[in-house]
Amino acid sequence: MKSIICFLLLCATSYAGSTSKCPKNIDVDTSPIERILESVLEEMLNRFDDMDRQLLELQMELNEHREEVERKCIPNCVSSTSSPPQLDTTTPTEPATTTTTTTTQPTATESPTYASCKDVPANVSGVYLIRINNTSSPFKVYCEMEKFGGGWVVVQHRFDGSVDFYRNWTQYRDGFGELNNEFWLGLEYMHQLTTARTYELMVEMKDFSGDYGYASYNAFQIGSESEQYRLKTLGSYSGTAGDSMTRNHKGSKFSTKDRDNDPNRDFHFAVYNNGAWWYGEGNQSNLNGPHKNVLNWESIWWWTFKNKYQGLSFTRMMIREL
């Protein structure tokens, strides 16, 4: 910038000098102009010298300040020209160490599996794993180990109406609910169990007045899904609740609200009774109906218990290997 201004001033001075050579008939005194330009030029050069000197002093102060910072810098300080620090890959961080410890520890011992609840050595009721055979996958069941000699697989349990039992075919096939709450084990599991070995059936019930009864059958087997889970085998009855299964339900296919397998042409009993069951031409039981304290067929009922469509507050179906 300084050189450019000097160049312009020199040009102006040259121009002023050239004008002094005008024809003599023009009376122009150019000497004062030249002197003014020279004075201005000298003044500007002096100012530029002052500016250079100030810039030099600032540069020196900046260098001294940087050197002071570097002397006082802590050992871990990294200059702007250094490369970033590298992580020590030989020493794992604490989270990595924790994760490794967790994944390399031995897992907890898995629950043992049994062929049926009858093989469970403990006399404590609860959830256990059973495996039907060596090629099948184990699955959880609730084992009743205290009543009626123990060893029972609970396949249905109702006591408070917290679970909706008005469900479709797929849900009754696969099962629903929780084993420690109200539930239906599943028709497919029941088929596999009763086909692999011989089982008996126990049905418990209680009405809203607290009256209790049971019905026992010394044989129980249901067919496959291709057979519509037909109630193929139902043994001899014994108990206190009366026999509400043999007459109308033995040999019947299972029906749900979306699968009408009952033989009655006038009624779809699963819809009529708001349930799902081995409905026959006429019916004497509806253990998967609505949990209601009512006197009609839209409830849980076992006809021979009170000889009426009285809603039940509690039912439990259990099977045991013979």
Side-chain angles (χ1 to χ4, degrees):
M1 177 65 71
K2 180 179 177 180
S3 60
I4 294 174
I5 294 174
C6 291
F7 175 75
L8 292 174
L9 289 172
L10 289 173
C11 290
T13 304
S14 299
Y15 174 77
S18 64
T19 56
S20 63
K21 298 179 182 180
C22 291
K24 292 183 178 180
N25 58 349
I26 300 176
D27 188 12
V28 179
D29 186 5
T30 58
S31 298
I33 296 176
E34 291 178 1
R35 286 194 297 268
I36 292 172
L37 290 174
E38 289 175 359
S39 177
V40 171
L41 176 60
E42 183 177 359
E43 180 65 24
M44 293 187 68
L45 289 175
N46 290 334
R47 291 188 180 182
F48 277 120
D49 288 338
D50 292 337
M51 292 175 63
D52 287 339
R53 187 166 48 255
Q54 292 175 3
L55 288 174
L56 181 59
E57 291 175 355
L58 289 173
Q59 184 65 38
M60 293 175 64
E61 291 179 2
L62 180 61
N63 291 337
E64 291 176 357
H65 180 70
R66 182 182 293 114
E67 291 174 358
E68 183 68 18
V69 171
E70 291 177 354
R71 283 195 301 269
K72 295 181 179 180
C73 190
I74 61 175
N76 292 331
C77 185
V78 180
S79 66
S80 59
T81 58
S82 303
S83 59
Q86 300 297 317
L87 292 177
D88 185 3
T89 58
T90 61
T91 304
T93 61
E94 184 177 350
T97 303
T98 303
T99 302
T100 302
T101 302
T102 301
T103 56
T104 56
Q105 286 180 343
T107 57
T109 304
E110 293 184 357
S111 300
T113 59
Y114 306 97
S116 70
C117 288
K118 191 175 182 180
D119 295 330
V120 174
N123 292 324
V124 178
S125 300
V127 178
Y128 294 90
L129 277 174
I130 63 173
R131 186 194 302 269
I132 297 174
N133 53 57
N134 293 332
T135 60
S136 63
S137 299
F139 58 95
K140 293 180 180 180
V141 299
Y142 189 94
C143 296
E144 171 55 59
M145 304 301 297
E146 301 163 39
K147 295 190 66 176
F148 301 106
W152 296 92
V153 178
V154 181
V155 297
Q156 188 248 41
H157 194 191
R158 308 194 66 185
F159 55 88
D160 63 1
S162 60
V163 176
D164 181 14
F165 271 66
Y166 192 42
R167 304 207 178 207
N168 61 33
W169 179 266
T170 300
Q171 291 168 310
Y172 268 95
R173 179 193 65 197
D174 299 338
F176 55 86
E178 300 293 334
L179 293 176
N180 286 309
N181 191 27
E182 292 194 331
F183 72 93
W184 173 264
L185 181 63
L187 290 165
E188 185 58 34
Y189 287 130
M190 294 165 66
H191 160 67
Q192 293 179 17
L193 287 167
T194 59
T195 301
R197 301 177 185 87
T198 303
Y199 275 79
E200 60 182 326
L201 171 67
M202 175 72 67
V203 181
E204 294 183 283
M205 64 198 73
K206 186 185 296 185
D207 63 17
F208 284 88
S209 298
D211 295 334
Y212 172 85
Y214 72 91
S216 175
Y217 299 88
N218 64 6
F220 177 74
Q221 182 185 7
I222 64 173
S224 64
E225 184 174 18
S226 62
E227 298 174 291
Q228 307 300 306
Y229 296 117
R230 184 169 63 90
L231 181 54
K232 298 176 70 173
T233 302
L234 188 67
S236 300
Y237 160 82
S238 63
T240 61
D243 182 8
S244 288
M245 285 285 283
T246 303
R247 178 180 176 183
N248 297 100
H249 304 280
K250 182 179 179 179
S252 297
K253 300 175 182 178
F254 199 85
S255 292
T256 60
K257 62 182 181 180
D258 60 337
R259 187 75 64 93
D260 184 6
N261 286 324
D262 68 67
N264 193 304
R265 295 182 178 181
D266 298 325
F267 293 100
H268 181 180
F269 280 115
V271 175
Y272 184 73
N273 293 304
N274 287 344
W277 197 243
W278 292 279
Y279 297 112
E281 183 68 32
N283 300 287
Q284 290 190 312
S285 56
N286 185 47
L287 296 189
N288 291 327
H291 188 275
K292 296 179 180 179
N293 185 13
V294 295
L295 184 62
N296 64 43
W297 53 88
E298 293 182 357
S299 64
I300 306 169
W301 45 268
W302 187 270
W303 175 263
T304 56
F305 184 43
K306 294 291 181 74
N307 291 323
K308 56 185 177 180
Y309 299 110
Q310 177 62 54
L312 300 172
S313 65
F314 161 82
T315 63
R316 186 164 68 161
M317 297 175 62
M318 306 184 293
I319 60 176
R320 179 172 62 182
E321 180 185 357
L322 292 171

